[in-house]
Every structure is written in structure tokens, then in C-alpha cells.
Amino acid sequence: MNVLIIGSGAREHALAWKLSKSPRVERIFSAPGNAGTAQLGTNWPDLTPTTGPELARRASEERIDLAVIGPEAALAAGVSDALRVAGITVFGPSRAGARLESSKAFAKHFLERHSIPTARYRVVHDQRHAERALEHFDDGVVLKADGLAAGKGVVVCADAAEARPILAQWYGERKLPGGGTSIVMEERLEGREVSVMAVLDGVRCVALAGACDYKRAGDGDTGPNTGGMGAYSPAHDVLDELGLKRIQNLVIGPALEGLKRDGIDYRGCLYAGLMMTTRGPMVLEFNARFGDPETEVVLPRLESDLFDLLYAAASGQLDEATMPTFSTSACVGVVLTSDGYPQASRAVHGLPAFTPLEDESTVGFWGGSTLRGAVVDASGGRVLTVCALGADLAEARKGAYEAAARYEKLLPEGVVIRYRSDIAERCAEPVR
């Protein structure tokens, strides 16, 4: 089988790495790909992830058997629709299904319409409307830009006084992340966050292993929101096996039924960002694709064949034979970023390759980057996600930070990378 992976980040590198281990996969193509995917197959650096007609034409020429779409922008642009019209089997929902992520207002209405637990909310379209809506949120409010904002369109405010300057900036200065004019305002929930990714084939669904990610730039969940600074799996400190089944019954299953009732044939990954509250699990957000960096810590634990799972879902044929199985090992991932991220994404040149351990208990997944001979040029931002497996989270955390420290020592003079030092600290022994 020939597989096309659309995207250029660490998530896409992780997908390519896991798919390359399938005996059914012969060739892997990535558009545009990165330094990691270049070592696993063929990159198409001339194609951007949102160019549906061009991707469909190239995929047809190369006789692609399965296309896997990574980034949300590609799904929102209807790339899956263009590929399907060309006769390509696609793992990734249509543009209609991707609205669960591309519009937070659409997602909240969907959740309410199909009785899926979520926070109380209001949707506003101008500053005056937003100011009035603040009266309904006495215990803090979460402001969410409606459109795609690369993980940077959410601000948690303790009270109205904290929210007003954000609203003034977004509306008064016309700096609403992702563009548009709509904002979702919702009650601030208390609890622990957890991510659950599920695979849907239009009729059936199966939840994957749970994971916890870290969105803030600094230790102790300080600083601005980012696309993700690290993650760990399993998330047994937040969600045990019984809890995962409950999520399947309360969230994933009802979401699939809601999609069917709405006439949407959803074949791809549905990511549920959840807050575990005293009232039960509440959906914070839906994403229409694999999470990043959650994918990087879930896939190393996957023991079954990833190609079989994705191809079955894309073909509408999920069954017992293709159900995923996971090891009892834990995995921790630490994201290494360029200096100044997320406010600035400075390019970093001449980086050494990351060498996995022989047993692949430690692996590295490149973000946006190109391979230049034996070195890597990174476009900046999230440069490399270093992941380690261990018997438990403490061992995995130790391995990830030791690997990050080893890699840091190999950097050229003058190159600075940053990473949080507290990934998985809350559920594992401190690094010695």
C-alpha cells in the first residue's frame, strides 16, 4: 500500500514513523513533510497542506491507497473532499465534519443539540454584546475565538475585569485570533483536563488511550497558550479504564450519533478535550484530527497495526479485527522549542539529527523542518518532540528528560532551545 500523509509537524512525523512499521505499507509520501518524514519516505515540499486539487492530482499519479490528513487547516479547506472526489481513500473528515473544530460556535451548538455535556456558554458577535454577556459569568469566563487559531485563541479570565481588556483588544483593535467576529464565552470549569482521541468510520467508533497535554509555555502552567509543550499517556491519574468507557458512552458515542443525524459521514479522528469535574466529564473542545503533542505519546504505546486501523476507518469497515491494542508502558513527550516561542518563531539552522535508542524506547519527532545533508534546518516554534517509553510514568519521564539533555549538549554554539521542566511531574517522581 502507498500512504500519503498531509502535514509537516511532529504529529505527521509520528504518524509516518508508526505507519512505516506496518508490513502492509510499501511507500510513504508526505506533503510537504519535514526532516523526519524525509528519512521514512518521499516528501512533496512543493505542495502545501491546503492545496486540495494539487494534492488530489499528485495522489492519483502516485496511486495512493490511503491519505491521512494531519492539520486542521487542511480539513477546514476541504482537502479530504477533493481527495475523495479523485477516488482516494481518506482518513480525515469532510469540510462539514471539520466544522466541529473550525468553528467553536458550531461545536457548542452541536454539543447542546445532541445533549453532550459541556460548559454553559453564550456566542457573541461584537464588543457591546460581549460586555453584556459578562453579566452571566460571575465565577470567571473563558473567551474562545470562533475560528482556527493554532491553539492560541483561548483566554481564561478570573472575572469580568480581566476579560474586558481582551475583548477590547480582540474587537476594538480587530485582533481576534483566527479572524471573523464571533466569540464563544463560557463558564470557567474546575477540574483536571484530559484528551481522548477516537477513530470513527461513519458508523462505529473506538476510543484510543487517554493522554494529558500541557498548553502553557512555562513551568507551572504559566505564560501564554501554545500549540502544546508536552504530554503523557496513559492518563490514569485523571482517567482510568472505567472512566475511558464512560467517555465513550457519554461523549464519543453520542457525538457519532449526532453526526449521523446531521447527515455527516465522519471518517477520521475525533479529538475530545475534556475537563473532569465534580459534575462529570465536560467537553471543552472538539478537534477533527489527531492531537499534537498527544499523538506523539499515544502512538509509541500502540501495539497493533496503525495502517489496519486507519484504513478500516477510512473504508467504513471498523471491526473487532482492527481494534487498537496498547502496551502497559507509559510514554512522556517533551517539546523542544526555539527561543522566544510562542511570541516569536525564530528559524534554527544546522541542528544535529536526533538518534533514537536502539530499542526505540526513546524517539524524536521533528516539527516544521527540512533535512540538509546530515543536519536539520527548523523553521522555528516547536522544533522537536522528544518521547520516551517506560514501565511507568516516572521511568518514562526520566528517559524523556535525559534524552532532551543529551540532545541539548549536541547543539551548535549559540543555538538556544527551550522546554518545560515539569511535564508529567504531577503524576511521577521528580527527575533525579
Side-chain angles (χ1 to χ4, degrees):
M1 294 286 191
N2 296 329
V3 178
L4 168 62
I5 298 170
I6 296 172
S8 61
R11 166 185 51 214
E12 287 75 34
H13 183 188
L15 286 164
W17 169 76
K18 197 65 178 181
L19 285 165
S20 71
K21 301 181 182 304
S22 171
R24 298 187 63 195
V25 174
E26 183 177 357
R27 294 192 299 168
I28 293 177
F29 299 87
S30 299
N34 61 26
T37 61
Q39 296 175 304
L40 296 168
T42 301
N43 282 354
W44 294 343
D46 57 314
L47 297 183
T48 60
T50 54
T51 55
E54 291 83 356
L55 286 163
R57 178 180 52 79
R58 188 77 62 85
S60 297
E61 291 172 354
E62 293 292 346
R63 298 183 178 181
I64 296 298
D65 297 290
L66 174 67
V68 181
I69 301 178
E72 59 271 29
L75 294 165
V79 170
S80 62
D81 304 88
L83 289 165
R84 287 190 177 100
V85 167
I88 308 296
T89 302
V90 184
F91 183 86
S94 63
R95 188 202 300 260
R99 287 191 69 197
L100 285 175
E101 178 169 9
S102 63
S103 172
K104 291 182 176 62
F106 174 86
K108 292 295 286 191
H109 294 323
F110 176 90
L111 289 162
E112 184 177 52
R113 190 166 64 251
H114 298 295
S115 302
I116 300 170
T118 190
R120 179 172 52 83
Y121 74 100
R122 295 286 180 97
V123 178
V124 299
H125 307 287
D126 57 50
Q127 188 171 351
R128 189 175 176 181
H129 188 190
E131 291 278 358
R132 289 200 304 269
L134 284 175
E135 300 172 5
H136 300 278
F137 299 98
D138 297 329
D139 298 321
V141 62
V142 182
L143 306 179
K144 296 183 176 182
D146 179 55
L148 295 175
K152 303 175 185 69
V154 177
V155 180
V156 181
C157 304
D159 51 34
E162 195 173 315
R164 287 192 180 98
I166 305 299
L167 294 171
Q169 182 185 52
W170 284 5
Y171 279 126
E173 300 177 25
R174 297 184 180 180
K175 292 184 178 179
L176 189 62
T181 60
S182 299
I183 294 175
V184 172
M185 304 174 66
E186 63 181 34
E187 64 175 316
R188 190 177 61 164
L189 299 174
E190 298 291 339
R192 290 284 301 279
E193 289 190 44
V194 67
S195 305
V196 175
M197 297 181 288
V199 172
L200 281 61
D201 76 347
V203 178
R204 292 162 292 272
C205 60
V206 58
L208 305 181
C212 286
D213 75 327
Y214 292 71
K215 294 181 176 68
R216 294 295 188 96
D219 285 1
D221 287 332
T222 58
N225 272 329
T226 73
M229 295 297 295
Y232 64 86
S233 179
H236 288 334
D237 59 315
V238 186
L239 189 70
D240 58 18
E241 288 301 317
L242 188 61
L244 189 61
K245 290 179 181 177
R246 191 180 182 202
I247 298 303
Q248 175 105 7
N249 294 332
L250 288 177
V251 176
I252 305 301
L256 174 59
E257 292 305 312
L259 287 162
K260 288 193 288 185
R261 283 197 293 273
D262 290 351
I264 298 173
D265 184 9
Y266 195 106
R267 303 186 185 194
C269 179
L270 180 64
Y271 166 116
L274 304 153
M275 182 72 81
M276 307 303 290
T277 76
T278 55
R279 290 182 281 166
M282 308 280 276
V283 176
L284 297 175
E285 64 173 346
F286 275 146
N287 291 336
R289 37 73 193 184
F290 285 112
D292 186 351
E294 292 94 339
T295 301
E296 293 95 288
V297 296
V298 169
L299 290 188
R301 299 185 54 233
L302 181 67
E303 293 183 321
S304 50
D305 192 307
L306 180 63
F307 175 84
D308 286 346
L309 175 65
L310 302 190
Y311 190 77
S315 306
Q317 297 177 348
L318 278 178
D319 57 23
E320 288 301 318
T322 55
M323 289 294 105
T325 57
F326 292 89
S327 73
T328 57
S329 299
C331 187
V332 171
V334 178
V335 176
L336 280 54
T337 76
S338 57
D339 194 21
Y341 177 78
Q343 290 89 343
S345 295
R346 303 183 181 93
V348 187
H349 300 287
L351 296 173
F354 181 90
T355 305
L357 295 183
E358 283 189 18
D359 61 358
E360 292 194 321
S361 58
T362 301
V363 292
F365 300 116
W366 287 102
S369 56
T370 55
L371 191 62
R372 178 168 54 87
V375 299
V376 174
D377 294 333
S379 57
R382 294 189 292 173
V383 174
L384 180 70
T385 303
V386 177
C387 300
L389 286 164
D392 53 29
L393 284 169
E395 184 178 307
R397 182 173 189 270
K398 184 172 184 290
Y401 276 105
E402 286 178 349
R406 284 196 304 270
Y407 184 78
E408 196 171 10
K409 291 177 181 177
L410 301 176
L411 295 175
E413 186 177 352
V415 173
V416 177
I417 60 170
R418 307 287 186 191
Y419 53 92
R420 284 182 58 159
S421 66
D422 62 346
I423 305 300
E425 184 177 55
R426 63 194 179 204
C427 53
E429 293 295 325
V431 174
R432 303 298 182 191

